[in-house]
Amino acid sequence: MITLLAIDWAVVGIKAGQLILCLSILVILHEMGHFLPAKWFKCRVEKFYLFFDPWFSLFKKQVGETVYGIGWLPLGGYVKISGMIDESMDKEQMKLPPEPYEFRSKKPWQRLIIMIGGVTVNLILGFFLFAMILWHYGEEYLPAKNVTYGVYVDSLGKSIGLKDGDKIMAVNGKEIENFSRLSTDIILNEAKTIQIVRDGQNMDLSIPEGTISALIKRKGDPLAYPRFPAVVDSVNNSAKFTAGALQKDDQIIAFNDQPIGSFYELSDIKKNYKDKEIALTVLRGADTVAVKVTLAADASIGFYPRPPDKFLKFETKKYSFLASLPAGVKKGWNTLVMNVQNFKLLFTSKEVKASESLGSFLTIGNMFGAQWDWERFWTMTALLSIVLAFMNILPIPALDGGHVLFTLYEMITGRKPSDKFMEYAQMAGMILLLGVMAYALGLDFWRYLFKH
């Protein structure tokens, strides 16, 4: 059944703005990584474009021998280097004898440096941004040992034997340092067991087949949530109290006589009572008080909850400028390793499917915040810079990695692939990439239409 989704265009605009700014930074610096070494080795650079420009450009201006421009198709960017088979597929130029200023006239090691320049810049940018984020904001996380109220689990968590109140301590026997990485650790390690504490007893739970696939489909929703009490921080007018009223510091302990152990339990149960009157039992100091309230159309109860950091001990690690540099490199490297592991799972895991893992710019844009948050923006930019570096170095014609592969072949064998072979390889690579992009875009539309 097709579901028509209400669209908040203000949120769409904020996310799209962040995505376009992020892509602009990444593309310009990536292409600069090709442009500068090309100029150092005295190659003629004919074009430097942010975004692609089939048929027309939004802006262009020639400075010296190079046309600088902005295209209308925000799927990347390019520099056109004379004598190089690239996205332009300029066959006529390749029929002429090579000129000294052309890419094909340069030594293999020079061409190799030109081709890996974009990937190198993206890696350095990712490491640098992670370092600056750690230096400026520090690193806040919730250690698993600090989830003192245990976890709240939905149907997926219950399917592997978890219960509300369990304390999850380790995955495959390895202690969880950051609770928010629980699902990621399970997926990347293709975990078979998790270690928990239940009622003071240590237990091992087996992770059944299908769990990893289910976690991937959740698109970031965790396997378990840290529990904390449902305490009123302040009251608002989003619901109508019909008997009594909530007050600051009230703890909600029952909903229609059903015990409530945490805020997440309250959030889940109230979804089925929109516009209906319900009874709450609250703990007010040492007294138990009954309150009746008619929920709003969005199921809100009429209060703002006390945030989790008032109950759970989050830890923040601060870094000096010098300490942030190796820490940023480490975080960037771990991000790269995680992407390699994700990519590997597409080919080695029975549970990881491309149809569930791939996403287009719609998926990427949705990862940005609904409000402009600079910490989140720069974190996303650092993450995508590492992802862009990894994807571009894959040995696929039309990507930097394809050119690197052919150049390494030439350096090892002493034989240069023919221009005709390079032309066909470039064409095949472009068809493959465009097919993958179209497939990913189709998957995103399918998910949005069918809430899949």
Side-chain angles (χ1 to χ4, degrees):
M1 177 179 178
I2 296 178
T3 304
L4 297 178
L5 302 177
I7 298 176
D8 187 332
W9 289 107
V11 171
V12 170
I14 292 171
K15 290 187 175 185
Q18 292 178 86
L19 176 62
I20 291 172
L21 177 58
C22 173
L23 289 178
S24 299
I25 293 170
L26 296 179
V27 169
I28 289 173
L29 292 178
H30 177 92
E31 299 305 332
M32 192 67 74
H34 298 306
F35 176 84
L36 291 178
K39 298 295 281 186
W40 289 334
F41 296 128
K42 303 189 184 308
C43 290
R44 177 180 292 174
V45 181
E46 299 174 15
K47 288 185 175 182
F48 187 124
Y49 259 74
L50 169 64
F51 306 146
F52 294 117
D53 61 326
W55 304 296
F56 68 93
S57 304
L58 298 178
F59 166 83
K60 63 180 179 179
K61 180 178 177 60
Q62 182 158 354
V63 179
E65 63 187 15
T66 306
V67 175
Y68 299 88
I70 301 175
W72 60 271
L73 189 60
L75 298 179
Y78 68 97
V79 291
K80 186 181 186 314
I81 303 172
S82 296
M84 177 181 174
I85 298 177
D86 55 14
E87 296 90 346
S88 66
M89 298 300 291
D90 190 348
K91 302 176 184 178
E92 296 303 317
Q93 185 184 52
M94 303 305 291
K95 292 178 181 179
L96 301 174
E99 298 288 346
Y101 57 78
E102 289 187 340
F103 177 82
R104 55 181 168 161
S105 298
K106 303 304 176 182
K107 296 177 181 179
W109 67 268
Q110 293 175 322
R111 283 184 271 126
L112 182 64
I113 290 175
I114 292 171
M115 291 317 306
I116 64 174
V119 169
T120 303
V121 166
N122 281 131
L123 283 176
I124 293 173
L125 176 63
F127 295 160
F128 174 76
L129 287 179
F130 277 130
M132 294 302 97
I133 292 166
L134 292 174
W135 177 46
H136 189 270
Y137 297 102
E139 187 175 25
E140 185 179 71
Y141 63 100
L142 178 63
K145 63 183 180 182
N146 291 354
V147 184
T148 50
Y149 295 89
V151 298
Y152 170 71
V153 293
D154 57 16
S155 57
L156 178 59
K158 291 174 181 176
S159 71
I160 68 173
L162 286 170
K163 293 183 178 180
D164 293 343
D166 286 348
K167 296 179 181 180
I168 304 175
M169 307 307 296
V171 173
N172 273 359
K174 184 178 180 181
E175 183 181 353
I176 303 169
E177 295 182 4
N178 185 346
F179 185 81
S180 66
R181 285 186 53 85
L182 170 63
S183 297
T184 302
D185 288 344
I186 291 173
I187 293 171
L188 294 183
N189 296 310
E190 296 187 82
K192 303 300 182 184
T193 62
I194 58 175
Q195 287 67 47
I196 69 169
V197 176
R198 177 181 297 166
D199 299 327
Q201 300 295 317
N202 294 325
M203 298 178 60
D204 276 16
L205 294 181
S206 297
I207 299 177
E209 187 174 340
T211 302
I212 291 176
S213 177
L215 282 173
I216 292 171
K217 288 179 181 179
R218 291 165 79 99
K219 299 296 179 185
D221 287 342
L223 175 68
Y225 300 83
R227 294 172 94 220
F228 60 94
V231 175
V232 176
D233 199 52
S234 61
V235 180
N236 59 44
N237 297 318
S238 63
K240 182 181 178 182
F241 293 102
T242 53
L246 291 175
Q247 296 180 12
K248 181 180 174 65
D249 298 329
D250 282 351
Q251 179 180 341
I252 298 174
I253 57 175
F255 184 105
N256 281 350
D257 295 325
Q258 179 175 336
I260 296 295
S262 74
F263 173 74
Y264 288 115
E265 291 171 62
L266 177 64
S267 297
D268 261 2
I269 194 173
K270 71 187 180 70
K271 293 176 184 176
N272 299 319
Y273 293 87
K274 298 175 181 179
D275 292 317
K276 295 181 180 179
E277 185 181 72
I278 56 94
L280 298 175
T281 304
V282 302
L283 189 62
R284 184 175 296 165
D287 299 324
T288 301
V289 179
V291 173
K292 288 188 176 181
V293 58
T294 300
L295 302 192
D298 62 355
S300 58
I301 294 181
F303 75 98
Y304 296 112
R306 188 155 295 166
D309 59 4
K310 300 298 183 182
F311 305 100
L312 304 172
K313 186 180 178 183
F314 287 77
E315 296 186 5
T316 301
K317 188 173 183 179
K318 294 291 186 179
Y319 295 85
S320 67
F321 176 77
L322 291 178
S324 73
L325 298 178
V329 171
K330 181 180 178 181
K331 188 168 184 176
W333 181 256
N334 289 339
T335 302
L336 178 61
V337 170
M338 182 180 68
N339 277 278
V340 173
Q341 289 175 322
N342 271 328
F343 188 74
K344 175 188 172 187
L345 289 176
L346 287 174
F347 302 96
T348 61
S349 175
K350 296 179 181 179
E351 297 191 37
V352 180
K353 301 175 183 177
S355 61
E356 297 168 354
S357 303
L358 283 179
S360 69
F361 286 100
L362 294 177
T363 294
I364 297 172
N366 211 37
M367 294 167 67
F368 288 91
Q371 297 178 334
W372 201 291
D373 180 335
W374 282 111
E375 181 181 4
R376 185 169 181 174
F377 172 81
W378 288 118
T379 300
M380 280 296 303
T381 303
L383 170 65
L384 291 176
S385 191
I386 299 293
V387 171
L388 184 61
F390 170 66
M391 297 304 295
N392 262 283
I393 205 62
L394 292 175
I396 299 172
L399 292 178
D400 295 342
H403 292 282
V404 168
L405 178 65
F406 296 137
T407 303
L408 289 174
Y409 170 81
E410 178 185 350
M411 294 173 71
I412 294 170
T413 66
R415 292 179 304 204
K416 184 178 182 180
S418 68
D419 290 341
K420 184 58 68 175
F421 172 81
M422 294 292 289
E423 178 186 320
Y424 287 142
Q426 181 76 11
M427 190 177 300
M430 289 179 64
I431 292 171
L432 174 64
L433 292 177
L434 289 173
V436 171
M437 291 170 68
Y439 178 57
L441 185 62
L443 287 174
D444 272 346
F445 277 117
W446 178 269
R447 291 171 189 137
Y448 278 108
L449 288 174
F450 292 91
K451 286 184 127 181
H452 182 63

